[in-house]
Amino acid sequence: MKNEKIREAYDSFRLDDQTRQAALENILEASRQERTASAGKRKRRIRRLTAAAACAVLLLGFGTAAYALGWFGLRDLSVGKDDHEVTRYRYPDGEPYQKMVESEILSLGGYTGTPEYEAFAEWDAYRRSYVEAHRDELTNEVTAPNGYYDTYFCCFPEMEEKLDEILEKYGLKPVENEQDFEGASLQDVCDAAGIGSILPDRADTVWEAGCYAYVFDNGSFHLETSLYTGEEELLDFSLNRAVYGSLYPYGVNIRDAERFTEWQFTTEEGVPVTVAEIREPFTDAYGQNCAPTALVLIGRPESMVTIGISPREQAYYLIDGVRYKDEELPEGVIGTPESHHWEYELPSREEIRDFVEDLHPEQIP
Amino acid sequence: MKEVIQVRTEKEITAIYERQADTVWRVCFSFMKNHHDAQDMLQETFIRLMRSDVRFQDAGHEKAWLIVTASNLCKNALRHPERIPEDIDGLWDLAAPERQDTGLAEAVLALPPLYQEAVYLYYYEGYGTEEIGKMLNITPSAVRSRLARARTMLKLEMEEEEHEK
C-alpha cells in the first residue's frame, strides 16, 4: 500500500465551506459571550510576568538595611493570600475538573512601607472581598466602567468611590490611557514608555520576537517577548515597570513559596538586583503549567522594575493537561507526570546575571 | 496568572482558524467518524485555543498544539455515551460528496483510536516517529509499532474488500 493512498484517504475528510463558516461563527460567538461575561465579572486581572510567576517566601532577612542598599525580596512585596478555584485538565484526556488552590499576591508597584505597596494591598483586599460579596450581581449585562475605573476593574460605583478614596489617602494617581502593543519591537515599547533602549548589547547576535505589551501614560508598562541567540532560542522574558507616585493596578499571582530561592548581586553600573528563582516546573494558582522561572526585582529611583525569565517550553505546550510529579493527582486522574520532560532549563545564575546586565537597568529611570 | 481567560483577539483566532481548520477537521473527523461530532470537536478545539495563553513559536508549533488538543478532546468525547451516531453509509455524502472510491478512507476511519493519531501524524502530516512520540507521550519505537500494526490492518481491510468485489 502506497503512502500516497493513505494521504488521499485523509484528503477525503474535507471540511466543506458551509461547515467551515458555521464553525467559525460559533467559535467567535462563544468568544464574544466569554468576553462579555469576563467584562462583567471583572475579577482581578493579574498579568503574567512570564509563563509563570510564582513565589516563595523563604526570605532572607530583608530589613531596613537591605532597603538602604536597594535590595528587597519577595516577602517585601507580598500583600496576602487568597483561595482560588481553578480549572485543571486531566491528562491525557483533557477532562476538566475544579480545584481550590491558595495563592499569594505580590505588589508590583512598591515594597512594604511605601504608599504604592500600602495602597495596592488595601485596594486588592477591598476589591477581592467586594467582588466575592457581590458575585451574584455580576452578570453579563454589567457595563464596563469608563476611564481608569476600567483599568482597576471597578464593577460597581461603590468600587469607583473606594478607589478614589484610596488614591487620595496615599497621595497617588491612577494609571491611565493604556496603549496596547502586539508584535511590536522592544524599541517601540521603550519609546512609548519614554525610556531609553533596553535592547541588549549583543543586538547583532540577539534579536527579539514581537512584543506583547501595554504602556500607561505615566511610563509604567509591561512587556512580554522572547530573545533568540543565533539559531537557538534563548528564553522568554517579561519586564514590568511601575512608576512611583501611582497605584499600579496589577499584581503577580504567586503560589509555591517553598520552592523559590533568592540571591542578590550588584550590576557593573551599581544597580542592586534580587533574583528569586525556581528551577523546577510548577503550576501557578490558575492552573497554568509553568516553566522554571526567575523573578528579577530591581528598585529604581523613579520606578520598580520586575523582570520574569523562563526558558522556552517545548513538550509542555504540546499537552494541555501536563502535570508534574510533585502535584497531587485527584482521584481518577491518569497519567504519568514523570514522563513529561522539559527540554530547556532556566539559565544559570551567571547567564541570568549577564542577561540583566545586558538589559541595562540603570537606563530605566 | 490572570483571571481574564481569553488572551486572543477575534482577529487572531480567525487567522489561526484559517490556517489550521482543515488540519483540525481531519483529526476530529477521523476520530469522531461523523460530521456533527467532528464539527463540535473542531469548535471545542478552537475554544480551548481561545482560552489558552500558549504562545506559539511558529506555525509548526501551532499545528502540533492544535492536533494534540483536538485528539485529546476527541478521545474524551468518545467515552461519552451521548455521542450522536451517524449512519456510516451517509457519511461520504457529507465528508466528500465527489469521492467514489471510499474503501481506504473507510478503512482508515475504522482504525482503533489508538492507531488513528499515529497514522494521521505520520502519513498525512509528515511528522517523524520521534516527533510523534513527543506529541503522544510514547516512545518512538511504540510509534513505529503502532504504524506497523495500523498498516497491517489497513492492508488486510483492503484485501478483504478486494475479495468481496
Side-chain angles (χ1 to χ4, degrees):
Chain A
M1 185 185 308
K2 291 180 179 176
N3 294 355
E4 188 59 32
K5 289 286 183 190
I6 298 178
R7 280 188 59 86
E8 286 176 8
Y10 279 106
D11 269 334
S12 70
F13 306 159
R14 194 164 299 131
L15 177 58
D16 62 88
D17 291 343
Q18 188 180 348
T19 305
R20 173 192 290 273
Q21 190 57 36
L24 178 60
E25 285 171 9
N26 289 341
I27 293 162
L28 295 180
E29 179 57 28
S31 169
R32 287 179 204 118
Q33 286 178 7
E34 287 201 358
R35 283 177 201 279
T36 305
S38 173
K41 287 174 184 169
R42 288 292 178 196
K43 295 193 287 185
R44 171 184 23 255
R45 182 169 58 165
I46 303 287
R47 301 269 191 163
R48 297 180 64 181
L49 258 191
T50 60
C55 140
V57 191
L58 38 126
L59 283 301
L60 315 171
F62 283 107
T64 309
Y67 295 136
L69 292 170
W71 282 308
F72 54 93
L74 294 178
R75 184 181 59 181
D76 308 299
L77 306 177
S78 174
V79 297
K81 293 184 176 179
D82 195 10
D83 286 331
H84 301 263
E85 185 179 73
V86 300
T87 300
R88 309 300 301 274
Y89 298 96
R90 293 197 319 186
Y91 172 80
D93 56 18
E95 180 77 14
Y97 63 93
Q98 303 299 314
K99 181 180 179 181
M100 292 300 291
V101 296
E102 186 181 63
S103 179
E104 193 158 10
I105 306 296
L106 294 187
S107 158
L108 289 172
Y111 50 78
T112 181
T114 63
E116 292 82 4
Y117 169 93
E118 300 297 340
F120 177 77
E122 187 171 334
W123 169 247
D124 188 63
Y126 167 81
R127 190 199 48 73
R128 265 187 279 158
S129 64
Y130 191 94
V131 169
E132 190 57 41
H134 296 78
R135 192 168 292 282
D136 292 344
E137 299 167 43
L138 293 169
T139 68
N140 292 349
E141 286 73 40
V142 170
T143 307
N146 295 319
Y148 64 82
Y149 296 123
D150 184 41
T151 304
Y152 292 87
F153 309 111
C154 297
C155 313
F156 301 97
E158 294 93 327
M159 297 182 74
E160 298 178 0
E161 290 168 13
K162 182 67 176 178
L163 175 63
D164 287 336
E165 179 190 316
I166 291 173
L167 289 169
E168 186 178 352
K169 177 180 175 183
Y170 293 98
L172 299 176
K173 293 178 179 174
V175 295
E176 293 187 80
N177 302 318
E178 179 176 327
Q179 188 181 352
D180 294 320
F181 293 85
E182 286 189 28
S185 70
L186 269 177
Q187 191 59 56
D188 288 341
V189 179
C190 291
D191 290 345
I195 66 169
S197 173
I198 56 169
L199 282 173
D201 286 341
R202 298 172 293 168
D204 56 333
T205 55
V206 178
W207 64 94
E208 81 235 53
C211 287
Y212 158 77
Y214 50 92
V215 179
F216 296 105
D217 58 5
N218 72 340
S220 296
F221 69 92
H222 174 92
L223 70 83
E224 295 176 16
T225 189
S226 303
L227 288 179
Y228 299 80
T229 304
E231 295 297 316
E232 187 182 352
E233 196 161 12
L234 184 61
L235 48 79
D236 279 347
F237 87 96
S238 65
L239 192 149
N240 201 90
R241 180 194 187 221
V243 175
Y244 298 142
S246 61
L247 172 55
Y248 196 73
Y250 310 126
V252 176
N253 188 329
I254 58 178
R255 184 167 171 205
D256 189 357
E258 300 304 317
R259 283 192 275 170
F260 270 70
T261 302
E262 292 186 319
W263 51 280
Q264 296 82 36
F265 69 95
T266 302
T267 69
E268 291 177 359
E269 302 292 336
V271 177
V273 175
T274 299
V275 181
E277 61 182 27
I278 180 168
R279 291 189 174 271
E280 295 294 325
F282 65 104
T283 51
D284 73 10
Y286 293 105
Q288 301 288 342
N289 304 303
C290 299
T293 297
L295 293 177
V296 180
L297 313 174
I298 306 172
R300 299 294 303 141
E302 297 176 17
S303 61
M304 192 171 100
V305 175
T306 315
I307 302 169
I309 303 171
S310 64
R312 292 310 302 265
E313 305 93 298
Q314 294 289 305
Y316 143 67
Y317 278 137
L318 297 178
I319 306 291
D320 222 4
V322 65
R323 53 190 59 263
Y324 302 103
K325 60 186 176 185
D326 56 346
E327 184 177 1
E328 187 180 341
L329 299 179
E331 189 178 350
V333 171
I334 53 175
T336 53
E338 293 82 0
S339 63
H340 296 287
H341 65 280
W342 295 71
E343 296 196 355
Y344 298 101
E345 295 179 351
L346 191 66
S348 68
R349 288 190 173 188
E350 194 59 34
E351 288 168 330
I352 289 174
R353 187 174 176 142
D354 288 345
F355 172 74
V356 174
E357 293 269 10
D358 275 348
L359 286 177
H360 291 296
E362 75 280 359
Q363 292 187 8
I364 303 176
Chain B
M1 171 156 337
K2 50 198 175 294
E3 291 188 23
V4 172
I5 302 173
Q6 287 186 42
V7 293
R8 287 186 168 81
T9 62
E10 285 192 11
K11 190 177 172 186
E12 287 176 294
I13 296 166
T14 304
I16 297 174
Y17 183 85
E18 295 298 336
R19 283 195 294 273
Q20 308 292 1
D22 288 320
T23 296
V24 176
W25 173 262
R26 275 188 288 270
V27 172
C28 295
F29 193 83
S30 62
F31 270 104
M32 307 310 292
K33 310 184 198 326
N34 79 69
H35 185 275
H36 179 90
D37 286 346
Q39 182 176 341
D40 278 354
M41 291 300 104
L42 170 71
Q43 292 169 185
E44 188 58 34
T45 302
F46 280 90
I47 288 171
R48 285 291 174 89
L49 172 70
M50 184 175 80
R51 293 171 181 161
S52 169
D53 65 353
V54 59
R55 293 172 65 188
F56 297 120
Q57 300 156 31
D58 50 40
H61 180 200
E62 177 183 278
K63 178 187 271 192
W65 189 94
L66 286 164
I67 288 173
V68 172
T69 300
S71 300
N72 286 343
L73 287 169
C74 289
K75 282 186 280 188
N76 187 46
L78 286 169
R79 297 175 185 175
H80 293 179
E82 66 268 26
R83 193 169 72 89
I84 300 172
E86 193 167 287
D87 181 3
I88 193 79
D89 294 333
L91 191 63
W92 306 106
D93 294 337
L94 293 165
E98 76 282 14
R99 187 175 177 85
Q100 300 300 316
D101 178 15
T102 61
L104 184 55
E106 286 186 37
V108 166
L109 282 180
L111 284 172
L114 184 66
Y115 303 121
Q116 286 280 4
E117 291 168 303
V119 169
Y120 174 74
L121 293 170
Y122 184 83
Y123 289 108
Y124 194 83
E125 294 294 346
Y127 288 108
T129 54
E130 196 155 326
E131 289 171 291
I132 297 170
K134 284 179 183 174
M135 293 168 74
L136 303 185
N137 191 31
I138 57 178
T139 63
S141 63
V143 175
R144 287 191 284 275
S145 170
R146 288 184 189 183
L147 289 172
R149 287 176 193 161
R151 201 175 168 87
T152 302
M153 287 180 193
L154 290 173
K155 193 175 177 183
L156 287 172
E157 189 72 25
M158 296 309 293
E159 283 174 359
E160 279 180 19
E161 190 174 297
E162 279 300 311
H163 287 148
E164 285 172 7
K165 285 178 183 175

